[in-house]
Amino acid sequence: MKTLFVAPTRNGVGLSSTALGLTRALERQGLHVAFLKPIAQVHDGADDSVHFARAVAHLTPPDPLDLAHAEEQLSLGAEEELMEGVIALAREATRPHPDSGPADVLIVEGLALNERNVYASPLNASLARNLEADTILVTSLQGVTPAELADEMEIAAQAYRRSDGGGLAGFVLNFAPKDLDFGGLMAELRARSQVIASGELPLLGVIAVSDELAAPRVIDIAHHLHAEIVNEGEAHLRRVRSNVVTARTVPRMAHLFGPGALIVTPGDREDVVMAAALSHMSGTPLAGLVFTSGSAPEEGIQNLCQTALTSTLPVLRVPTNSFETASRLSRLDPRVPHDDTARMDRVLDFIADRMDTVPLGTRLRRPDETRERRMPPSAFRYELIQKARAANKRIVLPEGDEPRTVKAAIRCTEKGIARCVLLAHPDKVHQVAHSQGLSIPDGLEILDPDTIRARYVAPMVELRKTKGLTPNQAEAQLEDTVVLGTMMLALGEVDGLVSGAVHTTANTVRPALQLIKTAPGARLVSSIFFMLMPEQVLVYGDAAINPDPAAEELADIAIQSADSARAFGLPVRVAMLSYSTGESGSGADVEKVKEATRLVHERRPDITIDGPLQYDAASVQSVGRSKAPGSPVAGRATVFIFPDLNTGNTTYKAVQRSAGVVAVGPMLQGLRKPVNDLSRGALVDDIVYTIALTAIQATQVEKKSAPDATA
C-alpha cells in the first residue's frame, strides 16, 4: 500500500476539496482508497474533511486527533509522541475490511494554513515523513504571479523532498481563471522552477474557478443573515447565483431577474415585489426574495402576490437595510455547509474530472495485479460515460418537452455522451429550456412529431400486419410519442430509446414488445438495476418487469443479468435469492429457486452461480462462510436475482431510500434493440446515466449481430 500526503503551499488553496477530489479520481481507476485527516483543523465542531469523507465519499476515516491535544504536545516538545498517535490512526484507517480487503493507497490530508497555526507547515512536512508518504502540493493561482508561484513550489518541494531524492508525487493548481493561458504559464514555471522543469514534480490537475459550484442554497443565506423565514418554499434546493439589490426602477433591472437571482429589496418596493412574483409565476426559477429593514409589502400587494409568496419561492426578512444586507452577503463563508452534500458531491466530481492521475499509476498499483477489481460507483459512472462517448449513439427521447428530460438531453449533448433526439414541438422545448436558464446546444436534435408522423404509418402497418392493424389505427397509435420513437428505433433511424419520466413502465415496454420484439434466443424481457453501493456496484434483477417468474424464466433472468454485468465490466457471481440458504428450508418457492439454479448450471456452466441463498449469506462474507461454507458465491455475490417482482422491487427501493444508494436503471434485457424505462421520480442524473446505458447497450447489440450480418 502506498500513502499520498496532500499539503497546501499557503492559505486558501482549497485543500480539503482537492484531497477528496483526488480520492474520487483514484477510485475511478479501480483503486481501493482510504482517507485520513490525522489532526483536526479546528478546536470545536466536526472536521469538514472527515464529515464529507463519510457523508459524500462513503469512506470510513477515523476521528482525527484533537487540535488542542496536538498543540499541547507540540508546545511540550513531544512531537514524537504526537506522531505515534498519527501512525496509530493511519493503521486504523488502512485496516483491511472483511468485505473489501486492504487499501491500495491512503490519502492523508495535512493541516490547512491560516494566520494563527504558524506551526502547520513544518508539522505537515513531519507528518509526510513519518507516514513515509509521497506529497502532492496544492496551490492556487489567485493573487500570485508565475514567478512567485515558481518560488513557492521550489520552497515547498525542499520541505517535502526526502533524503533519497523522492517524496514528491505532483502538484495541483486550483482556482484557475477561465481565460488562463495554460501554455504560457507552464512555460514560465518550467523556466523558473527546476523541480517542475525536471519532471520531479509533475502537474496532476488544473482546477478552474466555477461559479456554479460556489452557489449557496437560499437556506445557507438565511442562516448567514440570521433571517426570518417568511416562506421556506424550496430554500433547501434553490441556489443563489446572483444577488440583485434593488435601487433602480424595475424596467432597468428586469434583465437581472433570471434563474438563481436573489432579489434583495425593501418590502415597500411594491413594483419589485410584483415583478419578482410575476417572474416566479412565469416559470423563471428565481433563488428567492429578501425583504430588508424588517419590512413587508402592504396587505393589498401581499394578497395580489399571495400565490407566488406562499409557493416554492423562498421569502426571507432581515432587520438590516439593503446596503448592510448586501455587505453581509459579500462576506458569506465560501465553505460548503455540512448538510449540503449534493453540492460537495458535484465539487468532488468537478475536481476528479480535471485530475490526471496517470503519473501516479506506477507508484500506486499493487504488486498483486491478480486481485479482483471491485469497481466503486465513481469508477462505474466514469467508465459508463466514457464508453457512451465512444459509442456515439443516437438516442430518441419521446418525452421531449419534459423539463428533466430536456435538461438531461442538454447535458448529454454538451458532454458528448450521446446524440439525443427530442420528440416535441421545438417552441415548447426552447420554452422549457429557457425557464430553467438553459439554452439548446447546436448538436441537440428536436423533431416535431406532427411533421414526421405520417411517414411511419405504412411501415407500422407492415410490422403489425399479422395483427390486422389498419392505417387509421396506426396513425392514431403514432399520436403517442413513445410509439413514434419506437418506430424510429424499429426502422434503425435511432440506436435506442429512453422513456418513463412521465409514462408508466407498461407505456414504454408495450410498444417495444410489439414493434421491436425480443432478441434472438431470448424468451422474455427482464430488467436489472445497477446499485451503486459505497464500495462497489451490484446488480439487482428482476426488479421492474416480471411479477412471478417460473423456474425457467428465473433462469433466463439470471443468465441475462450475468451477461449484462459482464458486459459492463463487473465481476460475475450470481446469487439466487430466497428466504432459505442451501437445504435449510423447503417449499414451492425454495424449490423454484433450486430448479432455476440447476438450469443455469446446465445451460451456462461458465457462470458462477449458487442458490438458494439468503441475502445476508450472499452479501456478507462472515455469514456466507457460516451458512454456505465452500460456496463460490456466498459472501461475495455481485449479481442478486430475486425470486419475484414483489421482493425485487421492494428490496431495491428499500436499499435506495434507506441507505442513500444510487440505483441506475431499470435497464431492460432481452429486447432486439435497447429500450429503457425510467422511474417517474427520476432525477436528471438518473436520466443521463440511463441514456449512457442505452448507448452502450446499442454497441453490444451491434457486436452480437455482427456475425449474422457477415454470414
Side-chain angles (χ1 to χ4, degrees):
M1 186 204 70
K2 307 297 189 299
T3 302
L4 293 175
F5 188 87
V6 185
T9 59
R10 55 187 146 88
N11 186 22
V13 298
L15 179 68
S16 295
S17 55
T18 302
L20 291 172
L22 173 66
T23 297
R24 180 159 291 184
L26 294 174
E27 284 180 332
R28 288 177 175 178
Q29 290 192 12
L31 294 167
H32 178 205
V33 184
F35 181 84
L36 175 66
K37 177 80 173 181
I39 299 173
Q41 189 65 47
V42 294
H43 287 93
D44 300 312
D47 189 277
D48 290 351
S49 302
V50 173
H51 170 78
F52 286 122
R54 293 169 178 167
V56 177
H58 303 296
L59 302 170
T60 56
D63 290 330
L65 298 176
D66 184 75
L67 180 58
H69 169 73
E71 290 177 338
E72 181 182 14
Q73 293 288 86
L74 291 174
S75 69
L76 295 174
E79 183 178 315
E80 289 184 6
E81 186 175 339
L82 176 63
M83 291 301 157
E84 288 177 11
V86 170
I87 297 299
L89 278 183
R91 296 289 184 269
E92 182 180 349
T94 57
R95 185 176 298 137
H97 191 277
D99 294 329
S100 59
D104 300 312
V105 58
L106 172 65
I107 302 295
V108 181
E109 180 191 323
L111 282 170
L113 310 183
N114 58 49
E115 63 279 357
R116 69 167 302 276
N117 63 358
V118 293
Y119 53 82
S121 287
L123 179 59
N124 280 341
S126 179
L127 285 166
R129 287 193 300 272
N130 281 277
L131 291 167
E132 300 178 70
D134 289 341
T135 298
I136 294 176
L137 298 174
V138 181
T139 190
S140 167
L141 286 170
Q142 288 184 331
V144 293
T145 65
E148 292 169 338
L149 184 60
D151 290 342
E152 185 178 287
M153 301 305 290
E154 283 289 331
I155 294 169
Q158 293 175 28
Y160 292 97
R161 184 185 290 114
R162 292 194 299 264
S163 58
D164 62 1
L168 300 176
F171 72 104
V172 177
L173 291 173
N174 259 340
F175 304 115
K178 296 176 182 178
D179 59 349
L180 174 67
D181 177 9
F182 176 75
L185 172 67
M186 291 307 299
E188 189 162 356
L189 288 178
R190 292 189 184 101
R192 293 177 174 273
S193 171
Q194 177 61 29
V195 71
I196 295 175
S198 66
E200 181 184 1
L201 190 68
L203 178 64
L204 300 179
V206 179
I207 317 301
V209 172
S210 170
D211 296 335
E212 179 68 21
L213 294 178
R217 302 166 302 177
V218 176
I219 195 67
D220 303 326
I221 298 293
H223 292 156
H224 175 68
L225 297 177
H226 303 292
E228 172 192 356
I229 299 177
V230 179
N231 180 59
E232 182 172 332
E234 294 179 339
H236 287 82
L237 299 177
R238 299 201 178 201
R239 296 191 178 273
V240 179
R241 292 167 177 81
S242 64
N243 296 316
V244 180
V245 182
T246 58
R248 310 180 73 185
T249 60
V250 168
R252 296 181 180 275
M253 296 187 300
H255 65 286
L256 301 176
F257 284 44
L262 182 69
I263 312 302
V264 181
T265 182
D268 57 10
R269 281 291 302 272
E270 290 88 354
D271 57 335
V272 175
V273 175
M274 293 176 68
L278 182 62
S279 179
H280 170 72
M281 296 304 294
S282 67
T284 300
L286 298 175
L289 187 60
V290 180
F291 296 140
T292 61
S293 302
S295 59
E298 293 292 336
E299 183 178 354
I301 299 299
Q302 289 202 47
N303 291 337
L304 188 63
C305 302
Q306 183 177 14
T307 300
L309 299 182
T310 58
S311 65
T312 57
L313 179 70
V315 181
L316 312 178
R317 180 161 44 229
V318 295
T320 52
N321 63 36
S322 296
F323 176 81
E324 292 170 325
T325 303
S327 179
R328 292 187 65 186
L329 283 172
S330 69
R331 298 193 297 272
L332 180 70
D333 190 340
R335 293 180 301 172
V336 181
H338 280 195
D339 65 337
D340 196 355
T341 54
R343 177 179 165 194
M344 180 54 79
D345 193 56
R346 292 196 300 271
V347 168
L348 300 192
D349 273 339
F350 183 86
I351 292 173
D353 287 344
R354 289 153 182 79
M355 298 283 276
D356 177 13
T357 53
V358 174
L360 295 176
T362 57
R363 304 187 187 196
L364 303 180
R365 291 292 173 190
R366 289 172 55 83
D368 181 12
E369 293 294 340
T370 62
R371 187 173 73 94
E372 179 182 280
R373 182 188 185 191
R374 298 189 70 184
M375 187 182 294
S378 57
F380 177 78
R381 290 194 294 255
Y382 176 78
E383 293 191 8
L384 197 67
I385 298 303
Q386 297 307 310
K387 289 178 180 178
R389 284 173 174 163
N392 190 33
K393 295 302 180 184
R394 190 170 183 240
I395 308 299
V396 64
L397 308 173
E399 300 159 325
D401 56 8
E402 195 279 323
R404 292 165 296 166
T405 302
V406 171
K407 193 169 186 177
I410 291 173
R411 188 178 301 175
C412 286
T413 302
E414 291 176 342
K415 292 189 173 184
I417 295 171
R419 293 178 287 127
C420 292
V421 180
L422 294 172
L423 291 183
H425 297 290
D427 289 346
K428 184 64 181 297
V429 175
H430 283 278
Q431 180 183 344
V432 169
H434 180 72
S435 70
Q436 300 184 82
L438 303 171
S439 58
I440 302 297
D442 291 338
L444 180 53
E445 190 176 355
I446 305 171
L447 294 180
D448 187 341
D450 292 340
T451 64
I452 65 171
R453 187 175 294 113
R455 70 172 183 249
Y456 295 99
V457 173
M460 185 172 177
V461 170
E462 177 64 23
L463 282 175
R464 300 282 289 163
K465 63 184 179 182
T466 59
K467 300 297 182 179
L469 187 72
T470 68
N472 287 339
Q473 290 172 331
E475 187 171 2
Q477 290 184 27
L478 287 165
E479 292 287 336
D480 183 345
T481 53
V482 177
V483 176
L484 181 60
T486 306
M487 276 302 304
M488 295 174 67
L489 180 59
L491 297 178
E493 296 177 1
V494 294
D495 301 298
L497 179 148
V498 174
S499 181
V502 293
H503 288 85
T504 65
T505 296
N507 290 143
T508 298
V509 175
R510 189 186 301 111
L513 291 174
Q514 293 173 344
L515 301 170
I516 303 299
K517 305 189 185 302
T518 56
R523 285 173 284 196
L524 83 169
V525 174
S526 66
S527 72
I528 59 170
F529 282 90
F530 293 97
M531 305 298 292
L532 276 54
M533 301 299 202
E535 293 185 352
Q536 65 176 336
V537 177
L538 302 177
V539 171
Y540 282 8
D542 178 1
I545 301 295
N546 297 284
D548 188 17
E552 287 203 358
E553 293 171 323
L554 198 59
D556 288 340
I557 292 169
I559 292 170
Q560 289 178 346
S561 302
D563 287 343
S564 293
R566 184 174 288 121
F568 281 88
L570 301 176
V572 175
R573 286 185 295 274
V574 181
M576 304 295 284
L577 298 176
S578 176
Y579 60 78
S580 169
T581 294
E583 302 297 328
S584 65
S586 60
D589 291 338
V590 176
E591 293 305 316
K592 178 179 79 170
V593 174
K594 287 182 180 178
E595 175 62 13
T597 306
R598 186 192 67 78
L599 289 172
V600 176
H601 277 302
E602 181 181 285
R603 296 175 187 172
R604 290 289 299 275
D606 60 302
I607 294 176
T608 302
I609 187 171
D610 197 8
L613 291 170
Q614 292 163 288
Y615 192 97
D616 59 350
S619 60
V620 181
Q621 287 193 10
S622 58
V623 178
R625 285 192 295 268
S626 172
K627 291 189 173 184
S631 168
V633 173
R636 303 170 62 238
T638 57
V639 180
F640 295 76
I641 304 302
F642 296 92
D644 54 50
L645 184 58
N646 188 42
T647 309
N649 190 267
T650 301
T651 303
Y652 112 76
K653 286 186 176 178
V655 173
Q656 179 190 39
R657 299 300 181 183
S658 300
V661 169
V662 174
V664 178
M667 187 185 88
L668 302 188
Q669 310 171 125
L671 286 168
R672 193 165 54 86
K673 293 183 178 181
V675 172
N676 281 313
D677 180 40
L678 297 166
S679 165
R680 276 167 284 175
L683 303 175
V684 173
D685 282 348
D686 298 331
I687 301 174
V688 169
Y689 290 127
T690 302
I691 291 171
L693 280 174
T694 307
I696 297 170
Q697 276 185 293
T699 301
Q700 294 164 357
V701 167
E702 288 178 355
K703 290 179 180 178
K704 289 180 180 178
S705 61
D708 296 334
T710 57

